[in-house]
Amino acid sequence: MKKHLVFTLALGLGSLGLSAQEKQADYGQIHGNFQTNAQYYLRDTLIDPQGDAYPDERMLAAGFLNLIYTKGDFMAGIRYENYQNNLVGLPEGFKGQGIPYRFARYKKDGFDITVGNYYEQFGSGLVFRTYEERGLGLDNAMDGLRLIVNIRPGITAKALVGRQRIYFNTGDGIVRGGDVEFNLNDFKGKAGSRNLILGASMVSRFQEAQDPIFNLPENVANAGIRANFISSNFNFFAEYAYKSQDPNSANNFIYKPGHAIYSTLSYAKDNLGILLGYKYYDNFLFRSQRVGNFTEAMINYLPPLAELHTYALPALYSYNIQANGETGIQAEVSYKFDRGTLIGGKYGTLLNINFSNSYALDKDFEYRTDIDSSQTISGTDGYKDWAGPGDVQYSQDFNVEVKTKINKSLKGTFSYYNFIYNRSALLDGVIDDRIGPDTHLKYVYVNAAVAELLWKIKPRHSLRTEAQFMHTEQDRGSWALLLLEYSIAPQWFVAVQDAYNYGNPDPDLQIHYPLVSFGYTRGTTKVQVNYGRQQQGVFCVGGICRVVPASNGFSLLLTSNF
Amino acid sequence: MKIKILAFAALLLGLQACDEIPEDEYLLIEGGSQGYQGTGHRVFLEEFTGVKCNNCPAANQKAKNLQAIYGKENLILIGIHAGNLATTDAEHPKAFNTPEGTELFNFFQLFGVPVGFVNRLDYDENRIIKGEGDWAGLVATELERQPVAEINLAEDRYNAGTMELTVSGNVNATGTLPDNIKVCLYLTENDIVSAQTLGDKSVNPNYVHDHVFRGSFSGTYGKTIDLSSGSASFTESITLPSDAVKANCEVIAFIYDADNYEILQSNFIEI
């Protein structure tokens, strides 16, 4: 009772963290991390003539504090979140303040039990993945129960039930699921360079159906099997998943089941690394309720199998997964040229070549006449099962990266990019059942190059520069960007950046986007201040993207942990 | 050990299920109006929309399809243009935003369109705003409820010179009503031809807008009405927008619980 009281007090008052730490031998430990992001917006009629992205509040701020208490096999935590209001471009449903995340977890007798909120993933995520990605405004945490059992060495089973978080509420659907994984080496009790891991998982959603038009299934299941074979040089992973009838707002209420295949094969030996990947996603968006916007209530995750670009200009055309249907491949070769060779030079050179593409599925749509005499796919199977690749290309990405050390104090990374980007589908949201023979699809053809140099001027002092060029005759035209970042490790940095959209087809928008940043780190606390104009872009993590509107103003980011 | 395995297997089997709908049973209703006989409890579907919103025409069509099923005498539609997708530009010369619509959009803390309320159910600070996929179920459920009041509505007079319209009506209680009730009258207009962004992001300059909210007779939230005696009457006036076509206009009257905003009954007249 006494321990419960102390724990409750410690959780309720973060300031007690220190006293709890002093007495950790008796009462366990509290750890936490804090982040706040505030932005003061300035009206900029050049980049936002209508003021669509200029908030009434002028200043917006969002932040959170995680507090985790641990003692032996017991763990509990809360997350306080505060949105006053959320930053422009992030979901406005996150509004206000509260404690939407709280959990308790303990392990005993081979059982690992969690009550409250938790994140979990089965396999690659085709069947189930709940996670948080604040940059996307995505948090689909479960609120319920989770049980993990080590049945015997090498066999682990998981079961869960609950509802998913949507902003400060939970979704309409109840999610139930389980996963079993077999690890051959652990089963045999010996380590080795070869291993076989097999898994099977299943998740079901229940949501009451009251629709007067569609006879909706109240229980929808998603099940998958997977295998991972590992040897000293090879790593092969494959997962297949099947989703039962799931008419929903994203697939336009069609009834055909969904299929997903995700497979990768990698080879690594000496200086050579090769990765091959294949994806096939057909009608495989799975939410814990039939209607959801953006990233709300997503139960599963579809790996994008495309490289995530981090440099600002190439990142403007990042790949956005098309959950209603797509198929594609990825191939990547990396080779390290040893030092002392012609290409390796004095310090060695790393070469990485990457190719990926994605196509819509060849859907022969089935239509019916709706109440208003229009043709609709709603209330039909939608299209034939196991549709092959179609004619509509979503993307192609070819890029080459060379990393080398030029001399003792200078490192360089040089990249070339060639993209084919279906703007209509990937950015404008023109989904495939809206694409007809007369639809004008906007493709963007991009050639880009980036040179990054890191110069260690003297101990603790370094200068990082990025020169980026991106040429395209479509969309917003060509860009150039120059970044200079001076750091005094480990505490200070100051950066100046200018992105120039010199090729914009609208002469009024051939403008500069200057940005100045300043950062200071003390211990585990970091403060960063930015001022300037930021171009409209796309922020993507794991194939899930959100559009970031152009903005002008000051921003402050503060992170801290203890 | 066996107990653990069995317990887990049982748990998984017990939890998992999926319903299989045969192809010939996908649709519960086909075709147009089925001659639906309601209880007299009308449903008010308040759709928030915008001329630059590419997903709004499809949502609006879903609302119209529901109205085709249940009849306009049972399901009353209104399209409130508000938010940053209800603004004008070179391609969209009209946006139909109104001060009252913007006030509602902000009051209900909406942040995107299309969304909508069915009789303003579930209004609270932490509610999940209902997208078009939720409307059908909510409408069906609401239509089955017994009415607690009836609203009668009639056009009193119209001054063509000033475009001032006056309507009057009365509310008669037929069931148990909450204490704090307000009556509200909105003006809508059909058949307005103006630009709208479509699903493929193209702009149709000749899109036909129906059920467009053009203004309120008595403020955004209406006026308190005393139904302690079982009935009450009202008379309200509005000046039509200068570009409105009276023959295409309708007046919607509704009463709602002022404590939780739930709409208890509604009715409309063509003018």
Side-chain angles (χ1 to χ4, degrees), chain A residues 133 135-136 304 307-310 314-321 421 426-427 537-548:
Chain A
E133 180 51 61
L136 293 172
E307 188 166 334
L308 176 68
H309 298 299
T310 52
L316 290 175
Y317 295 105
S318 293
Y319 189 63
N320 195 0
I321 205 85
Y421 183 84
L426 302 179
L427 199 59
V538 180
F539 179 76
C540 299
V541 178
I544 298 172
C545 303
R546 69 175 175 89
V547 175
V548 182

Side-chain angles (χ1 to χ4, degrees), chain A residues 1-9 27:
Chain A
M1 186 64 199
K2 184 183 173 186
K3 288 178 183 175
H4 285 280
L5 181 61
V6 171
F7 168 64
T8 306
L9 287 172
Y27 302 118

Side-chain angles (χ1 to χ4, degrees), chain B residues 105-167:
Chain B
F105 188 85
N106 293 331
F107 177 76
F108 289 121
Q109 298 184 21
L110 304 179
F111 50 83
V113 291
V115 292
F117 286 108
V118 174
N119 278 348
R120 292 185 186 171
L121 291 171
D122 297 331
Y123 168 69
D124 71 65
E125 288 185 356
N126 293 324
R127 79 216 174 282
I128 302 300
I129 296 159
K130 302 300 182 186
E132 72 271 19
D134 291 314
W135 295 343
L138 289 168
V139 167
T141 306
E142 275 294 285
L143 282 168
E144 294 302 311
R145 291 173 60 177
Q146 291 300 312
V148 291
E150 183 51 71
I151 300 174
N152 299 303
L153 200 58
E155 179 181 343
D156 255 7
R157 56 187 178 276
Y158 177 68
N159 183 326
T162 62
M163 296 183 77
E164 186 183 55
L165 170 71
T166 302
V167 297

Side-chain angles (χ1 to χ4, degrees), chain A residues 258-302:
Chain A
H259 304 277
I261 299 170
Y262 173 72
S263 182
T264 58
L265 171 65
S266 64
Y267 171 81
K269 189 173 184 184
D270 301 329
N271 293 1
L272 178 67
I274 299 173
L275 171 73
L276 300 172
Y278 172 75
K279 63 182 173 183
Y280 179 91
Y281 305 139
D282 176 14
N283 187 23
F284 223 72
L285 179 71
F286 191 31
R287 295 184 198 271
S288 59
Q289 55 185 34
R290 296 181 197 93
V291 177
N293 290 316
F294 311 116
T295 52
E296 293 170 358
M298 294 201 301
I299 298 177
N300 67 342
Y301 169 76
L302 303 177

